């Protein structure tokens, strides 16, 4: 035994007999960070590989969706680092305007205060304090998961550098005429008291009421239907289609608006569908986006009848009522006047809700800041069409085009205090000045800054380049932009992906922000249901990590990650992954204690057994397969391939087939020990990106290397041995068939059975000792009687079962099972042969009977074979 082997054996025996993740993971991760393994060097001559993390909200906590995507990004970056790339995976957080402001306002409410009691400046300072004390806990949870992020480059969307980037791109867009201020209909949240974008509105079917109201009198009347009766107080017209003969006599006339002292015109507009309802619609330009456009076409006034809280502001009996209270009161008043023609209750219709607080959104006319998205969206679409950016899987690119090709101008102003303040200043004489990061702020009496802040997605849309130092020409920007992969859920194509594409192409002179967009699905429970905090199926991944280890959670998530598809996950699956990690630990530890080594060069193939050559051939095929699947983002398939190779081929077959060689000692044991060490070395490298903790612990013990994090990624050596693979396949067939037979006969796994193996003339001769060892087959010995014979794979295995089973009882049991199967077959054949039955029975019933017949025939064949193999009584 050499010194290195002695050291390895000593180190192996120091490994605990069982793997305890809690005792390994935390300390090991901190060691990786302290040694700077995850830090990227902009001065390096290595080729760059860059991923920026989708910045989690500063208010957020790790959920399974985060854990899922972070696991996949970590696997990509760990592999690329091992392949010799200068790998940057950049972390950070989003300031999450509305969500964070709500958190602090809730905190103030508990103190009996509001933000207005503090004033803007003090409130913002309070938010920063909250962020420093409570925000960002998710970053610590990412460390717990094992995320190999470059913490030296951590960014925040409101840090000084990113704030400068926001001001710079705002001014550039403003001066290019791509940012403007205008009064338009926006989505307004009466709870958050701010505008929200279209993509921040969640639609759901609500049970409302549809009322039909008669406007006007006599022949000059018409009926309109609405689900929002309260907005009629702001109607400024009724619209009909210009070709609708029913109303041509009314177009241009004035009719009385019920409950008010006003008259409103009837206008003709092609937007109206004459086939829908009565063919007449009320027009409320200040409270409906379609009505707003009709109003612009016909020069109609816009009357706002609700304030920012959703409270009625017009004079009369409805003044001061909440919008929903006003709805009931107005319908009641109309009934008293006999103007309700019809009511439908409940009336299910799609209603928009604020994605953050779930309050019903109110369309509202408001002066806001907008991005003119036309040319930006065109460039974002063209970058995918011309192949500059690849969307993976390709079938999801249609969803991307549906959005960017039909994008409306983007409302970017928010009526909040927490966020990037809009860099516009207004002077006392109507001056409007946009202030860039290097500009002087206007001073003097009467100058004020716009009170609004920017939509959170405005700053996060700059993330791929602002985090690298833009607008400065930094070494990081030169080295690591554009990024290689954006891995994110398909549900935020609209929120984030399109924004980054538009801003990246604009700010970086047409250079795309990422080369590939790898889209994932959503994590669901084991039954395919969406996980939600309001449902009992919600899971805290930290609970699973504490119970089963981070590797188990990571492997479960990766094993379910088919491109673009949702990922079902249940605790049983995490337990199975924990068992896999334990198997890796126990089997590798056993192998190292019984001769596995990486010492010295790999022996020449001529010195190896067929079993050695087989496993090396399978090893190289696995390397090639895993590489191809990584490049195609097929995490589920590559995880399955690694699982099958490690558990089945290495541990279940190679180690078992090699035991007799190791027990015999000598030169063959040395050769197989070196081959097994090679296989373990490469296998642990392949597994490391997905299960980093257990693999790094075992690999450093096996090899004495510093860490798998900085080890080389394995390469396919090209070694293949088709003859050895076919030979071991024959061995596997023999073992599998005899195992099946033993199980059918009720023999225990450890029960030894005398056997005669006739292997002459086949490649199996060299494997007889291993086959006997695995199958617990004793030499035939004196008085051997072949009571069962199994021909398989060109060999014959004769077994002496006398004394091991009660043949008479087994024949009786099998005869009873055979009779039942034959009866089932006869009944099924009888029904399928009855023409009258077939003519009347539904197709699904007939299919079930055919299935029963096929099953009965299979059972009969199986039982007859078992009877034939039993000894004669």
């Amino acid at each position: 035994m050499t010194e290195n082997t002695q050291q390895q054996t000593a180190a192996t025996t120091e490994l605990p007999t069982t793997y305890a993740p809690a005792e390994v993971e935390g300390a090991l991760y901190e060691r990786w960070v302290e040694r700077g393994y995850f830090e990227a060097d902009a001065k390096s001559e290595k080729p760059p590989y860059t991923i920026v993390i989708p910045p989690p909200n500063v208010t957020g906590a790790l959920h399974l969706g985060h854990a899922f995507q972070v696991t996949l990004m970590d696997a990509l970056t760990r592999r690329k680092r091992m392949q010799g790339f200068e790998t940057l995976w950049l972390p950070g957080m989003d300031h999450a305007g509305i969500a964070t402001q709500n958190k602090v306002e809730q905190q103030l409410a508990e103190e009996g205060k509001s933000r207005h009691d503090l004033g803007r400046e003090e409130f913002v300072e309070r938010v920063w304090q909250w962020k420093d004390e409570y925000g960002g806990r998710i970053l610590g949870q990412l460390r717990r998961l094992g995320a190999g992020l470059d913490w030296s480059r951590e960014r925040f969307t409101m840090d000084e550098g990113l704030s400068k980037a926001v001001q710079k791109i705002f001014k550039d867009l403003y001066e290019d005429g791509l940012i403007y201020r205008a009064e338009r209909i926006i989505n307004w949240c009466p709870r958050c008291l701010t505008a929200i974008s279209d993509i921040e509105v969640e639609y759901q079917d609500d049970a409302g009421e549809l009322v039909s109201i008669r406007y006007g009198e006599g022949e000059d009347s018409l009926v309109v239907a609405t689900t929002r009766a309260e907005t009629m107080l702001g109607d400024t017209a009724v619209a009909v289609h210009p070709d609708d003969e029913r109303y041509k006599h009314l177009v241009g006339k004035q009719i009385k608006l019920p409950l008010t002292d006003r008259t409103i015109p009837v206008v003709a507009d092609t937007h109206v569908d004459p086939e829908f309802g009565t063919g007449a619609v009320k027009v409320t330009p200040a409270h409906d986006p379609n009505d707003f456009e009709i109003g612009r076409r016909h020069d109609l006034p816009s009357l706002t009848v609700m304030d920012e809280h959703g409270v009625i502001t017009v004079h009369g009996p409805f003044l001061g009522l909440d919008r929903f209270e006003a709805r009931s009161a107005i319908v009641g008043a109309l009934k008293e006047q006999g103007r309700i023609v019809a009511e439908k209750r409940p009336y299910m219709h799609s209603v928009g809700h604020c994605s953050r607080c779930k309050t019903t959104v109110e369309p509202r006319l408001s002066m806001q800041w907008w991005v003119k998205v036309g040319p930006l969206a065109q460039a974002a679409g063209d970058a995918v069409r011309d192949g500059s950016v690849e969307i993976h899987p390709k079938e999801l690119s249609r969803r991307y085009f549906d959005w960017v090709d039909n994008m409306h101008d983007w409302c970017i102003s928010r009526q909040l205090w927490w966020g990037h303040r809009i860099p516009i200043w207004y002077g006392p004489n109507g001056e409007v000045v946009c202030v860039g990061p290097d500009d002087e702020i206007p001073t003097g009496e009467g100058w004020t800054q716009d009170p609004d802040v920017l939509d959170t997605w405005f700053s996060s849309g700059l993330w791929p380049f602002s985090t690298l130092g833009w607008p400065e020409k930094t070494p990081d920007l030169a080295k690591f932009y554009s990024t290689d992969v954006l891995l994110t859920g398909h549900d935020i194509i609209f929120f984030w992906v399109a924004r980054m594409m538009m801003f990246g192409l604009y700010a970086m002179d047409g250079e795309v922000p990422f080369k590939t967009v790898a889209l994932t699905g959503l994590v669901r429970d084991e039954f395919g249901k969406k996980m939600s905090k309001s449902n009992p199926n919600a899971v805290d991944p930290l609970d699973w990590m504490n119970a089963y280890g981070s590797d188990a959670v990571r492997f479960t998530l990766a094993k379910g990650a088919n491109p673009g598809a949702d990922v079902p996950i249940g605790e049983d699956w995490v337990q199975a992954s924990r068992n896999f990690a334990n198997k890796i630990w126990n089997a590798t530890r056993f192998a190292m204690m019984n001769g596995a080594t990486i010492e010295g060069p790999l022996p020449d193939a001529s010195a190896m057994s067929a079993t050695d050559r087989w496993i090396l051939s399978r090893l190289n095929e696995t390397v090639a397969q895993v590489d191809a699947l990584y490049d195609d983002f097929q995490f589920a398939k590559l995880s399955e391939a690694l699982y099958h190779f490690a558990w089945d081929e290495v541990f279940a077959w190679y180690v078992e087939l090699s035991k007799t060689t190791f027990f015999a000692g000598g030169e063959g044991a040395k050769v197989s020990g070196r081959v097994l060490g090679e296989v373990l070395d490469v296998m642990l490298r392949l597994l490391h990106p997905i299960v980093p903790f257990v693999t790094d612990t075992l690999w450093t013990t096996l090899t004495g290397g510093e860490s798998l994090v900085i080890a080389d990624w394995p390469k396919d050596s090209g070694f293949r041995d088709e003859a050895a693979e076919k030979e071991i396949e024959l061995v596997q067939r023999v073992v599998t068939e005899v195992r099946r037979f033993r199980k059918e006969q009720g023999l225990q796994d450890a029960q030894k059975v005398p056997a005669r193996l006739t292997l002459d003339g086949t490649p199996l001769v060299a494997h007889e000792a291993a086959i006997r060892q695995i199958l617990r087959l004793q030499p035939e010995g004196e008085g051997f009687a072949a009571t069962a014979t199994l021909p398989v794979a060109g060999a014959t295995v004769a077994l002496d079962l006398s004394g091991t089973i009660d043949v008479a009882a087994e024949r009786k049991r099998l005869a009873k099972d055979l009779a039942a199967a034959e009866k089932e077959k006869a009944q099924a054949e009888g029904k399928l042969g009855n023409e009258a039955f077939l003519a009347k029975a539904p197709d699904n019933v007939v299919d079930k009977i055919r299935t029963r017949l096929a099953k009965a025939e299979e059972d009969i064949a199986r039982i007859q074979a078992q009877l034939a193999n039993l000894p004669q009584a």
Side-chain angles (χ1 to χ4, degrees):
M1 183 179 289
T2 66
E3 182 180 351
N4 186 64
T5 306
Q6 290 174 331
Q7 292 174 348
Q8 176 184 304
T9 303
T12 304
T13 56
E14 291 175 3
L15 289 171
T17 54
T18 58
Y19 179 54
E23 297 176 10
V24 172
E25 293 177 347
L28 183 54
Y29 184 84
E30 291 308 316
R31 192 179 312 139
W32 291 336
V33 173
E34 288 167 5
R35 293 179 178 178
Y37 293 157
F38 305 135
E39 294 181 13
D41 182 3
K43 298 178 182 178
S44 168
E45 294 183 0
K46 296 178 182 178
Y49 182 83
T50 315
I51 292 182
V52 290
I53 195 170
N57 285 354
V58 67
T59 60
L62 187 71
H63 57 65
L64 277 174
H66 290 130
F68 171 54
Q69 292 180 359
V70 166
T71 293
L72 303 188
M73 285 184 276
D74 195 36
L76 290 175
T77 51
R78 283 179 184 270
R79 172 175 173 257
K80 285 296 183 180
R81 188 179 294 110
M82 294 172 74
Q83 286 182 317
F85 287 80
E86 193 61 38
T87 303
L88 171 60
W89 186 21
L90 195 147
M93 292 184 298
D94 191 284
H95 65 279
I98 294 177
T100 308
Q101 178 157 321
N102 283 346
K103 284 279 188 183
V104 179
E105 289 197 82
Q106 290 167 11
Q107 195 178 63
L108 287 173
E110 293 173 2
E111 302 171 12
K113 298 178 182 178
S114 74
R115 60 181 164 123
H116 300 286
D117 294 324
L118 272 64
R120 183 167 193 148
E121 187 174 336
E122 189 176 341
F123 175 79
V124 170
E125 178 59 33
R126 180 72 174 260
V127 180
W128 278 107
Q129 291 173 6
W130 181 93
K131 183 258 182 188
D132 292 340
E133 186 172 355
Y134 300 105
R137 60 177 174 156
I138 190 172
L139 298 182
Q141 294 164 347
L142 295 181
R143 298 167 83 99
R144 177 75 176 81
L145 188 64
L149 291 150
D150 184 348
W151 297 108
S152 70
R153 285 178 167 81
E154 181 185 335
R155 303 305 299 269
F156 180 53
T157 51
M158 283 186 61
D159 66 30
E160 183 178 353
L162 269 66
S163 295
K164 183 176 182 180
V166 167
Q167 293 171 10
K168 166 67 173 169
I169 200 165
F170 186 100
K171 183 170 183 179
D172 289 349
L173 290 164
Y174 179 79
E175 292 184 343
D176 284 345
L178 296 174
I179 282 183
Y180 63 94
R181 191 170 186 240
E183 192 174 42
R184 301 275 179 83
I185 292 286
I186 47 91
N187 305 297
W188 180 265
C189 177
R191 157 64 183 80
C192 298
L193 297 179
T194 183
I196 58 176
S197 65
D198 291 343
I199 52 180
E200 293 170 302
V201 178
E202 294 178 348
Y203 287 91
Q204 66 184 47
D205 286 340
D206 285 359
E209 62 176 337
L210 181 68
V211 294
S212 297
I213 309 168
R214 179 171 53 83
Y215 283 26
E217 305 294 343
E219 293 183 357
D220 290 346
S221 68
L222 38 67
V223 174
V224 301
T226 182
T227 58
R228 303 173 66 223
E230 69 278 9
T231 63
M232 68 165 293
L233 301 176
D235 287 357
T236 56
V238 173
V240 298
H241 194 277
D243 298 332
D244 195 331
E245 295 292 339
R246 294 171 294 176
Y247 303 118
K248 279 196 171 180
H249 69 289
L250 289 177
V251 174
K253 288 188 176 182
Q254 295 280 328
I255 61 172
K256 180 72 182 300
L257 178 64
L259 305 182
T260 72
D261 295 327
R262 294 190 290 115
T263 60
I264 57 176
V266 177
V267 299
D269 196 280
T270 54
H271 171 77
V272 179
D273 181 0
E275 303 298 322
F276 182 77
T278 64
V281 297
K282 59 192 288 298
V283 181
T284 321
H287 293 278
D288 183 274
N290 292 322
D291 293 2
F292 177 76
E293 296 300 328
I294 293 175
R296 291 213 301 182
R297 286 193 289 271
H298 297 276
D299 199 25
L300 300 174
S302 296
L303 300 181
T304 299
V305 297
M306 271 181 266
D307 67 13
E308 64 270 23
H309 298 280
V311 173
I312 302 299
T313 57
V314 294
H315 296 294
F318 313 112
L319 177 65
L321 292 180
D322 172 80
R323 53 185 168 156
F324 301 117
E325 296 172 336
R327 182 177 300 172
S328 298
I330 287 170
V331 170
L334 290 168
K335 284 181 179 178
E336 289 180 5
Q337 292 187 5
R339 291 191 174 274
I340 298 295
V341 175
E343 290 181 87
K344 186 175 182 180
R345 186 187 296 123
Y347 176 72
M348 301 303 296
H349 63 129
S350 182
V351 177
H353 297 261
C354 174
S355 62
R356 290 177 175 83
C357 70
K358 312 309 176 186
T359 300
T360 300
V361 167
E362 190 64 42
R364 188 168 188 261
L365 185 63
S366 180
M367 182 68 74
Q368 300 286 344
W369 286 94
W370 305 80
V371 172
K372 185 183 294 184
V373 300
L376 301 174
Q378 176 71 43
D382 290 346
V384 175
R385 289 188 175 91
D386 67 20
S388 299
V389 176
E390 177 189 4
I391 292 181
H392 188 90
K394 288 184 178 179
E395 55 266 26
L396 289 181
S397 59
R398 181 177 58 81
R399 186 178 299 188
Y400 175 79
F401 291 131
D402 285 347
W403 178 252
V404 298
D405 292 347
N406 300 285
M407 195 182 298
H408 300 297
D409 282 3
W410 172 19
C411 177
I412 56 171
S413 47
R414 298 291 180 267
Q415 289 65 56
L416 304 172
W417 287 356
W418 171 247
H420 291 282
R421 191 86 172 263
I422 288 178
I424 293 289
W425 290 74
Y426 305 108
N429 299 311
E431 301 95 334
V432 178
V433 176
C434 183
V435 178
D438 301 319
D439 297 337
E440 292 288 334
I441 294 174
T443 57
E445 188 175 348
W447 282 93
T448 59
Q449 187 175 1
D450 192 295
D452 291 349
V453 300
L454 288 162
D455 178 10
T456 296
W457 296 102
F458 189 95
S459 51
S460 60
L462 315 181
W463 191 251
F465 53 93
S466 63
T467 52
L468 297 173
W470 186 91
E472 304 301 328
K473 294 181 178 179
T474 64
D476 277 359
L477 194 65
K479 176 75 173 178
F480 297 113
Y481 189 90
S482 61
T483 69
D484 288 88
V485 176
L486 171 69
L487 190 145
T488 190
H490 61 63
D491 56 323
I492 62 169
I493 290 178
F494 324 119
F495 288 90
W496 195 44
V497 177
R499 312 297 193 204
M500 288 189 289
M501 286 284 282
M502 292 192 301
F503 283 164
L505 290 163
Y506 174 81
M508 298 300 294
D509 298 322
E511 191 174 358
V512 295
F514 24 75
K515 302 175 185 71
T516 301
V517 179
L519 296 172
T520 70
L522 307 178
V523 178
R524 297 183 178 273
D525 71 13
E526 57 194 303
F527 305 107
K529 295 181 179 179
K530 183 178 179 180
M531 288 191 176
S532 169
K533 291 181 180 178
S534 59
N535 293 333
N537 67 352
V539 173
D540 185 343
L542 293 171
D543 292 340
W544 281 353
M545 284 190 274
N546 291 333
Y548 307 113
S550 297
D551 282 336
V553 174
R554 290 169 62 112
F555 191 73
T556 305
L557 292 165
K559 204 174 180 184
N562 290 298
D566 289 346
V567 183
I569 185 172
E571 189 165 5
D572 289 349
W573 304 341
V574 185
Q575 291 174 354
S577 295
R578 182 269 316 273
N579 295 343
F580 179 52
N582 287 343
K583 181 70 173 180
I584 297 170
W585 179 272
N586 295 332
T588 303
R589 184 178 183 276
F590 173 82
M592 287 191 284
M593 293 181 68
N594 287 274
T597 180
I598 64 159
E599 183 184 0
L602 199 63
D604 189 78
S606 61
M608 298 179 190
S609 68
T611 309
D612 295 333
R613 297 194 306 276
W614 165 75
I615 196 62
L616 288 175
S617 184
R618 294 297 309 132
L619 175 68
N620 281 285
E621 178 60 33
T622 301
V623 171
Q625 183 182 9
V626 167
D627 272 334
L629 292 170
Y630 258 118
D631 292 341
D632 199 33
F633 303 100
Q634 297 281 358
F635 294 98
K637 290 181 179 179
L638 72 89
S639 299
E640 192 65 40
L642 288 169
Y643 178 91
H644 171 71
F645 177 73
W647 193 303
D648 297 339
E649 296 185 311
V650 177
F651 301 137
W653 284 110
Y654 180 73
V655 170
E656 291 300 315
L657 288 172
S658 300
K659 279 183 178 178
T660 53
T661 302
F662 286 124
F663 294 159
E667 191 61 31
K670 291 181 181 178
V671 171
S672 292
R674 180 64 187 87
V675 169
L676 181 52
E678 182 76 11
V679 171
L680 293 176
D681 177 14
V682 174
M683 182 194 75
L684 292 170
R685 291 172 194 257
L686 291 174
L687 282 164
H688 175 73
I690 296 176
V691 284
F693 293 107
V694 66
T695 52
D696 195 55
T697 305
L698 291 170
W699 184 84
T700 52
T701 304
L702 170 69
T703 67
E706 184 178 343
S707 174
L708 264 178
V709 180
I710 55 172
D712 291 336
W713 181 254
K715 295 180 180 179
D716 176 10
S717 71
F719 178 83
R720 300 289 191 280
D721 193 321
E722 187 176 346
E725 292 203 34
K726 288 183 177 179
E727 184 171 329
I728 299 304
E729 182 182 343
L730 291 176
V731 174
Q732 291 172 326
R733 286 174 61 192
V734 170
V735 171
T736 301
E737 182 62 22
V738 176
R739 277 176 172 166
R740 183 193 63 77
F741 176 77
R742 288 179 59 114
K743 185 176 181 181
E744 288 176 349
Q745 303 307 319
L747 297 176
Q748 299 298 315
D749 290 342
Q751 192 170 354
K752 295 181 178 180
V753 179
R756 177 189 300 135
L757 275 64
T758 306
L759 306 171
D760 293 342
T762 77
L764 300 175
V765 176
H767 303 283
E768 180 172 351
I771 293 173
R772 287 185 177 277
Q773 167 74 24
I774 293 171
L775 293 172
R776 305 292 192 270
L777 301 179
Q778 293 178 311
E780 48 193 288
E782 188 176 349
F784 176 84
T787 57
T789 302
L790 301 175
V792 55
T796 302
V797 181
L799 303 170
D800 182 355
L801 300 179
S802 59
T804 59
I805 61 172
D806 185 336
V807 176
E810 186 65 12
R811 281 189 174 278
K812 184 177 180 181
R813 182 186 70 80
L814 289 172
K816 183 178 178 182
D817 290 346
L818 181 61
E822 289 174 337
K823 181 179 179 181
E824 175 74 3
K825 177 186 176 185
Q827 289 176 342
E829 286 178 333
K831 288 185 177 181
L832 293 173
N834 185 333
E835 294 296 335
F837 170 78
L838 293 176
K840 294 180 181 179
D843 290 345
N844 66 317
V845 173
V846 175
D847 288 342
K848 284 183 180 179
I849 294 172
R850 289 195 177 111
T851 301
R852 284 170 50 193
L853 175 60
K855 175 67 166 54
E857 290 174 338
E858 289 176 8
D859 289 343
I860 290 168
R862 176 179 53 81
I863 296 168
Q864 288 175 337
Q866 289 178 250
L867 283 166
N869 283 318
L870 279 174
Q872 296 300 313

